[in-house]
Amino acid sequence: MSHCGNAHQWMSASLDRGLGPEEARALQAHLRACPRCRATWAALQEVDHLLSTHPTVPVPAGFAGRTLARLEARGAAVAARQGRGSVPWPAAGFALAALSLFLWWIALLGLPALLSQAAPAIWSGLRLLGEALAMLARSLIHLLDLLVPFCRGMALAAGALALACSLAAVGGSLRKARVRV
Amino acid sequence: METQAAQQEQEWIAQARQGDLGAFAHLVQAYQRPVYNLAYRMLGNVQDAEDAAQETFLRAFQHLQTYDPRRKFATWILSIASHHCVDRLRRQRRPCASLDEAMEQGLPPAPEGDPEETAAAREASDEVQRLLLLLGPRDRLTVVLYYWYGMSHSEIAEATASSVSAVKSRLHRARLALAKALQEQREAEARRLPGSRSPQEVEGL
């Protein structure tokens, strides 16, 4: 049976014009001895011949026009989307809304509460680490205390700005969705 | 002449990359025949072939930036068509049992010319299509690219993102399957008609 397997490989190679003279002789010898492979070889040659005629079908009339019309329709949609930038607007809107909430939280409650909660833990940690580090930390905290009013002002302003942006973005995406519908 | 045509083509591609639909229209004109025929041989009916061929051009336009001008444009666009057709066939996942039904639904219009010659050509074309539809999507694609487009094993490997040895074994397997189908068909015909005459001939007597 493995002879037949080899013969099949040789037949394929022969159809691809990639059969060496020695293998060609071996194939011929096998074909003389094996009627099954003779039948297969005849069928393979017929298949090869049929496929080599590679009949073509005509392209339907107006194909190019229909393709370009579809492309134009899609292109117009893409251009409309790109006109507003390639940012996914609803996602950007929600991200900005989340950012503005975070900034407001920090401005109104977050940072002082965070500092007052963390201070005892920081102190005990600092005592263990030594006086020198404590001094450094104390001065850092003083600096932070100084920065808090400034941060609060900045955060309020940034929060307001981000909220305005997010409202605009969400509004824009809703309007766009309505237009598309 | 050839280099001039190639230059012209590169110009169209460059302009189409800038979004010039007029330039892309030339490319559609130049490649609609090979793309449509590949889709028809893969999908087996004119409706799906038209849709898949259109989709191929839309994708080509969209991804024109990724085309490497050192490669043949034909290979590039045929590889887009190939992937799309194989995907489509996988999504359909329809067994190739009802060949006759599939073929009757979507036969292409007869080519113009001598009616007798046309009928013979059509019969040959139908037989080829019937055989092709017996193959799985990837084997069918390999056969079509090899016989219809004269691609070498390595070109097919490039267009179908596989290795040369995979292409060779697909081609081998496909031919053997088709040979077997053809043998069975011939045997069935011989059993039905011991005089080895076709039904038309018998009716004609």
Side-chain angles (χ1 to χ4, degrees):
Chain A
M1 280 311 278
S2 74
H3 280 298
C4 293
N6 282 342
H8 286 171
Q9 294 290 346
W10 293 331
M11 290 177 204
S12 240
S14 171
L15 294 178
D16 291 336
R17 284 157 195 79
L19 195 67
E22 210 161 295
E23 291 162 324
R25 271 194 295 277
L27 174 62
Q28 287 309 322
H30 180 78
L31 288 178
R32 275 193 295 275
C34 178
R36 268 178 74 110
C37 279
R38 263 206 308 279
T40 304
W41 180 226
L44 270 176
Q45 282 176 307
E46 192 179 350
V47 163
D48 187 62
H49 173 74
L50 257 176
L51 294 175
S52 298
T53 61
H54 56 79
T56 53
V57 291
V59 179
F63 171 82
R66 286 191 293 279
T67 304
L68 289 166
R70 226 173 120 181
L71 191 58
E72 264 165 25
R74 195 179 279 191
V78 169
R81 235 174 293 141
Q82 279 175 349
R84 308 198 56 115
S86 56
V87 183
W89 283 103
F94 285 117
L96 275 172
L99 180 68
S100 69
L101 277 178
F102 178 68
L103 290 171
W104 280 78
W105 175 71
I106 286 184
L108 297 176
L109 322 148
L111 206 54
L114 212 69
L115 281 176
S116 65
Q117 267 174 19
I122 294 174
W123 278 119
S124 60
L126 290 181
R127 269 193 213 101
L128 285 170
L129 280 174
E131 203 56 32
L133 272 175
M135 288 292 286
L136 186 68
R138 226 177 271 132
S139 59
L140 254 175
I141 284 170
H142 279 305
L143 189 66
L144 269 177
D145 277 346
L146 279 176
L147 277 172
V148 162
F150 176 71
C151 283
R152 184 178 294 172
M154 286 303 285
L156 273 170
L161 187 66
L163 190 66
C165 285
S166 66
L167 283 176
V170 169
S173 67
L174 284 179
R175 204 166 42 243
K176 187 131 175 54
R178 226 176 299 130
V179 167
R180 220 176 291 157
V181 167
Chain B
M1 248 341 247
E2 189 137 302
T3 50
Q4 214 177 344
Q7 249 171 18
Q8 175 69 74
E9 185 179 283
Q10 289 303 326
E11 252 169 60
W12 287 335
I13 294 168
Q15 288 161 357
R17 272 183 167 172
Q18 306 298 317
D20 183 344
L21 279 180
F24 191 69
H26 289 296
L27 294 170
V28 175
Q29 287 289 351
Y31 288 96
Q32 57 178 353
R33 199 177 153 84
V35 168
Y36 179 81
N37 269 275
L38 176 68
Y40 177 71
R41 289 300 156 196
M42 286 301 289
L43 304 173
N45 71 76
V46 291
Q47 293 89 349
D48 286 349
E50 162 126 12
D51 191 55
Q54 284 185 5
E55 189 60 38
T56 300
F57 283 111
L58 298 193
R59 288 182 184 194
F61 186 72
Q62 206 180 337
H63 298 112
L64 217 45
Q65 300 296 344
T66 66
Y67 166 66
D68 174 0
R70 286 166 301 181
R71 286 176 60 191
K72 266 173 35 188
F73 190 74
T75 312
W76 184 71
I77 199 155
L78 287 174
S79 89
I80 295 176
S82 302
H83 287 297
H84 180 59
C85 289
V86 169
D87 277 354
R88 239 181 136 97
L89 288 168
R90 284 202 180 135
R91 262 181 284 136
Q92 284 176 348
R93 268 210 256 141
R94 264 217 345 226
C96 301
S98 53
L99 290 184
D100 291 315
E101 173 220 6
M103 290 195 53
E104 270 158 29
Q105 274 176 5
L107 284 176
E112 285 158 24
D114 176 26
E116 213 164 288
E117 215 173 277
T118 305
R122 178 131 196 189
E123 205 170 299
S125 179
D126 289 355
E127 178 157 33
V128 166
Q129 192 64 26
R130 205 182 296 271
L131 285 173
L132 279 180
L133 292 178
L134 293 172
L135 301 171
R138 293 212 148 262
D139 289 359
R140 193 184 308 165
L141 176 63
T142 307
V143 165
V144 171
L145 292 178
Y146 185 82
Y147 283 99
W148 269 259
Y149 299 91
M151 285 193 186
S152 67
H153 293 144
S154 60
E155 280 171 326
I156 298 173
E158 191 188 325
T160 59
S162 48
S163 66
V164 170
S165 65
V167 168
K168 277 185 183 169
S169 79
R170 275 204 194 104
L171 198 55
H172 175 65
R173 186 173 58 205
R175 279 177 181 142
L176 276 181
L178 296 182
K180 202 172 156 227
L182 209 59
Q183 272 176 293
E184 279 165 9
Q185 193 181 313
R186 297 279 181 266
E187 279 163 22
E189 279 169 5
R191 268 199 302 277
R192 230 177 316 149
L193 301 158
S196 76
R197 280 195 177 118
S198 69
Q200 287 89 345
E201 278 174 319
V202 176
E203 272 167 29
L205 282 173

